[in-house]
Amino acid sequence: MKVLITGGAGFIGSHITDAIAAEGYETVVVDNLTTGRKAFLPSGIMFYEQNICEPGLQAVFHKEKPDIVIHQAAQGAVAKSMKQPVFDADVNAMGTIRLLELSAQYGVRKFIFASTAALYGMPKRLPVQETHPANPVSFYGLSKWTAERYIRLYAHIGLSYCILRYANVYGMRQNAEGEAGVICMFMNHLLEGKPLHIFGDGEQTRDFVFVKDVVQANLAAMRSKHNGVFNISSGTQLSLNQLIMLLEKTAGVKAEVQYQSERQGDIRHSYLHNQKALRLLKWQCQHSIMEGLAETFAYYKAQKEEMSKRKSESSAGFRMNH
Ligand SMILES: NC(=O)c1ccc[n+]([C@@H]2O[C@H](COP(=O)([O-])OP(=O)(O)OC[C@H]3O[C@@H](n4cnc5c(N)ncnc54)[C@H](O)[C@@H]3O)[C@@H](O)[C@H]2O)c1
């Protein structure tokens, strides 16, 4: 069986690629490396440096004829979507439609889509269930919602699908500059002895789900006979103040926290009901927040140590040469 992963060199996508390749599936990655990195890809897979919005994508489908498409590639920054809504819609909506068209044309058996809790907007009820109305407050949420609607219409003409609406994903290889990267950013600041900045009083809550659990959700979706929309989340809410306490425990240091005024439009509380994924996909989180944080922190710590080792080696080399 052949699996094509778009965005397979990105944060979440590269962990999915690792797992798919490790399970012995023929693995194909399509990524234009805007935020992804080739270094994240395992050896022995097929890699196409290809934009999903460009015509070359057809040649990839023609050559590879994948059985399953796991679509992770996206413009994922909320702020960028507000500044560049056309670009955002091109990648997230039009890019998905192009993939759907090719998937239908080349007989793909299942299409799995990385969607987002952002499409719910301000939650009316907590925890947010899949039946909660979509009311996105960003163009990013809207373009993902649009893509979802196209997927559901393609299902009427025979394409099987699973739409996975991720909560706030965290873990190794995340880019601190992304919107959702608060854990990665806080960890890097702790390692550099910098203060942590919080907008508001820190009592706002989020639902943090570990990337390895998200990978397992994609594998479960791939194997499932069910079509549908599933929240992929820890199902618990954690305030940013609580998160900082857990990070201090993980890192063994005291954080300096700087509170700034609340940002307009920020969602106060958000967490997702995840029992549908348990019932139908037989998926549930296997990692507690402390386990996820410990593994993630070890990764960023090792990265920092590696970087400072390289820096001191290169400055020693520089001194020797002068
Ligand atoms: N990180 C989160 O907390 C989170 C939450 C909800 C949903 N999501 C969704 O999960 C998916 C993966 O997100 P991520 O956090 O790993 O982001 P990421 O930026 O690390 O990964 C996206 C990947 O897609 C690639 N890409 C972007 N535009 C492309 C294009 N036009 N053609 C081909 N490749 C392209 C990038 O190079 C990158 O490798 C995205 O669809 C995102 O919207 C992420």
Side-chain angles (χ1 to χ4, degrees), residues 186 194-200 244 255-261:
F186 280 179
K194 290 184 186 162
L196 312 185
H197 298 281
I198 284 192
F199 296 102
I244 287 175
E256 181 195 339
V257 186
Q258 292 180 357
Y259 292 92
Q260 296 170 342
S261 48

Side-chain angles (χ1 to χ4, degrees), residues 6-14 30-37 40 50-54 71-77 87 90-92 95 113-118 140 144 164-170 173-175 179-181 209:
T6 72
F11 159 47
I12 300 169
S14 65
V30 168
D31 199 302
N32 69 352
L33 302 179
T34 42
T35 52
R37 287 176 53 189
F40 290 160
Q50 171 68 49
N51 189 329
I52 57 162
C53 300
E54 287 173 1
H71 178 28
Q72 302 292 311
Q75 185 304 107
F87 174 71
D90 270 345
V91 179
N92 294 355
F113 179 60
S115 191
T116 171
Y140 167 69
K144 286 283 185 176
L164 306 181
R165 291 180 180 160
Y166 305 157
N168 289 75
V169 189
Y170 72 96
R173 302 179 186 158
Q174 188 161 27
N175 185 344
E179 300 293 319
V209 58

Side-chain angles (χ1 to χ4, degrees), residues 177-305:
E177 280 141 38
E179 300 293 319
V182 62
I183 289 184
C184 161
M185 190 168 68
F186 280 179
M187 283 185 174
N188 279 305
H189 281 206
L190 279 178
L191 284 162
E192 288 161 13
K194 290 184 186 162
L196 312 185
H197 298 281
I198 284 192
F199 296 102
D201 60 6
E203 287 306 303
Q204 62 269 50
T205 56
R206 292 292 177 267
D207 180 337
F208 294 104
V209 58
F210 188 43
V211 68
K212 285 192 174 176
D213 287 319
V214 175
V215 169
Q216 289 308 316
N218 277 273
L219 292 180
M222 199 175 96
R223 290 169 184 147
S224 167
K225 291 190 190 71
H226 293 284
N227 281 346
V229 180
F230 302 93
N231 285 339
I232 300 301
S233 71
S234 71
T236 54
Q237 49 184 340
L238 194 72
S239 74
L240 293 188
N241 289 331
Q242 285 170 321
L243 171 68
I244 287 175
M245 272 166 47
L246 298 182
L247 286 174
E248 287 178 329
K249 218 164 156 189
T250 305
V253 294
K254 183 93 193 98
E256 181 195 339
V257 186
Q258 292 180 357
Y259 292 92
Q260 296 170 342
S261 48
E262 211 168 303
R263 283 186 303 193
Q264 226 192 347
D266 269 0
I267 292 170
R268 182 79 180 153
H269 298 293
S270 166
Y271 77 108
L272 305 184
H273 190 272
N274 61 13
Q275 294 302 297
K276 187 178 171 193
L278 174 61
R279 200 160 33 85
L280 297 180
L281 301 181
K282 310 287 176 233
W283 170 86
Q284 62 182 338
C285 279
Q286 298 297 327
H287 298 82
S288 70
I289 182 84
M290 279 312 278
E291 286 166 345
L293 290 180
E295 207 172 318
T296 307
F297 186 73
Y299 169 84
Y300 288 114
K301 190 165 177 241
Q303 256 201 341
K304 276 268 161 338
E305 283 165 2

